[in-house]
Amino acid sequence: MKVGFIGLGNVGGKLSGSLLRNGVDLTVHDLNDDLVESFVAQGAKRTEGPAQLMASCDAVITCLPSPAASAAVMDEMLPEVTDGKIWMEMSTTDEAEVKRLGAMVMERGGAAVDCPVSGGCHRAATGNISIFAGCDRATFDRIAPFLKTMGRRILHTGDLGSASILKVVTNYLATANLVTCCEALVTAKAAGMDLNTTYEAMKISSGTSFVHETESQVILNGSRDISFTMDLVKKDAGLFQEVADRNNVPLEIAPMLIEIFNDGIARFGERELSPNIIKRLEEATGLDITAPGFPPEMVDDEPEEPGYEVVPQGK
């Protein structure tokens, strides 16, 4: 099966890299021609644009920064969608939008999947990231080999759109974890605690989280580099709020998180690295929340292994 990949950025470049190094027949496209050239040098094919990519490939994956970007690409690809073609949306996007675009694909005889990832760029690089997949079971079985090449833990979440809901739910939790970790680290420092010891106390306690065990390390290093920016956090938090609003859930914490990141963007810029939201508290207290011995970026130390399907508890 020939696979096309559109979007070779921080996440997409790593996911498509997993496909390429595992022998998948891959054609790539990105607005940044330097990124395309780097993949061509490794054995990928190039294309003139989204329409040609859909025409020449059996499955096309999009991994783009916004729902608007995905819609623009789909406008170009849609005339080339025919029976048996598959569109796989790996962007973090809106449930309603992926259903809208997917419906147009299915009307032309194709299949549509929303399959966002979770677990950080460092795990995307090694093929060990988690992937949610929303689609009918027959389509899931067709694309499972590619999902298991790009990721380790693969969860079939239900119909189209379900994966996008769960992605923004989990990103919301990660954002809340980030903000509370920042507040915990700053408060511990203000109270005279050693930050290396504080990190370990949080890690071995009931207060730990994936975010603490990864992002707190680059916060304490000072690089704050997780290849994710404040504008993307704001976008994802907004998508979560939209899901809640559509379902009449009166959220309290989510609006506060959006306000916090609006303030962070106003102060530091929308492309500021998201863990630097801690700078709001560093500036307010005059404290430097860094410590020796932590890495400047996260590296996945697990060996790359074939992916597998996660079966929900109770099923």
Side-chain angles (χ1 to χ4, degrees), residues 195-271:
L195 287 176
N196 295 73
T197 304
T198 298
Y199 173 83
E200 294 300 334
M202 291 167 64
K203 182 178 177 180
I204 67 173
S205 73
S206 58
T208 196
S209 65
F210 175 84
V211 170
H212 171 61
E213 294 180 21
T214 55
E215 294 190 41
S216 288
Q217 294 199 57
V218 296
I219 286 173
L220 291 167
N221 171 272
S223 78
R224 315 289 163 78
D225 188 2
I226 62 163
S227 299
F228 206 73
T229 52
M230 290 189 184
D231 59 329
L232 296 177
V233 173
K234 178 183 174 180
K235 180 204 76 172
D236 293 352
L239 290 172
F240 176 73
Q241 183 68 57
E242 289 173 14
V243 172
D245 290 343
R246 282 198 294 267
N247 292 280
N248 301 311
V249 181
L251 300 180
E252 297 176 276
I253 295 174
M256 294 174 60
L257 294 176
I258 293 171
E259 288 182 15
I260 287 170
F261 275 88
N262 278 335
D263 182 63
I265 288 169
R267 295 187 190 202
F268 313 123
E270 62 179 13
R271 301 303 293 167

Side-chain angles (χ1 to χ4, degrees), residues 84-95:
K85 299 276 188 179
I86 304 172
W87 170 52
M88 300 167 60
E89 172 63 292
M90 300 196 79
S91 318
T92 299
T93 191
D94 176 59
E95 166 215 4

Side-chain angles (χ1 to χ4, degrees), residues 122-123 126 128 152 217 298-305:
H122 63 298
R123 287 188 174 175
T126 59
N128 287 329
R152 177 178 289 191
Q217 294 199 57
M298 296 311 304
V299 177
D300 186 13
D301 57 5
E302 293 183 311
E304 183 174 5
E305 294 183 0

Side-chain angles (χ1 to χ4, degrees), residues 3 43 78 81 120 146 171 184 238 240 246 275:
V3 177
L78 195 61
V81 174
F146 301 120
N171 273 21
F240 176 73
R246 282 198 294 267

Side-chain angles (χ1 to χ4, degrees), residues 275-306:
N276 262 329
I277 200 68
I278 198 171
K279 287 168 65 176
R280 294 170 68 251
L281 293 174
E282 286 181 310
E283 291 180 355
T285 61
L287 297 173
D288 173 32
I289 308 302
T290 58
F294 292 95
E297 61 182 10
M298 296 311 304
V299 177
D300 186 13
D301 57 5
E302 293 183 311
E304 183 174 5
E305 294 183 0

Side-chain angles (χ1 to χ4, degrees), residues 95-175:
E95 166 215 4
E97 179 66 356
V98 78
K99 285 181 175 179
R100 184 184 74 83
L101 297 178
M104 294 190 292
V105 170
M106 291 184 280
E107 284 172 4
R108 300 182 65 89
V113 187
D114 58 326
C115 44
V117 301
S118 185
C121 285
H122 63 298
R123 287 188 174 175
T126 59
N128 287 329
I129 203 162
S130 298
I131 304 178
F132 304 152
C135 57
D136 61 86
R137 185 69 207 191
T139 299
F140 177 82
D141 290 338
R142 287 177 65 195
I143 64 169
F146 301 120
L147 299 181
K148 292 175 182 177
T149 298
M150 291 184 284
R152 177 178 289 191
R153 299 167 183 87
I154 315 301
L155 179 65
H156 181 217
T157 57
D159 294 336
L160 180 68
S162 60
S164 293
I165 292 174
L166 291 175
K167 169 62 174 176
V168 298
V169 166
T170 57
N171 273 21
Y172 163 70
L173 292 171
T175 300

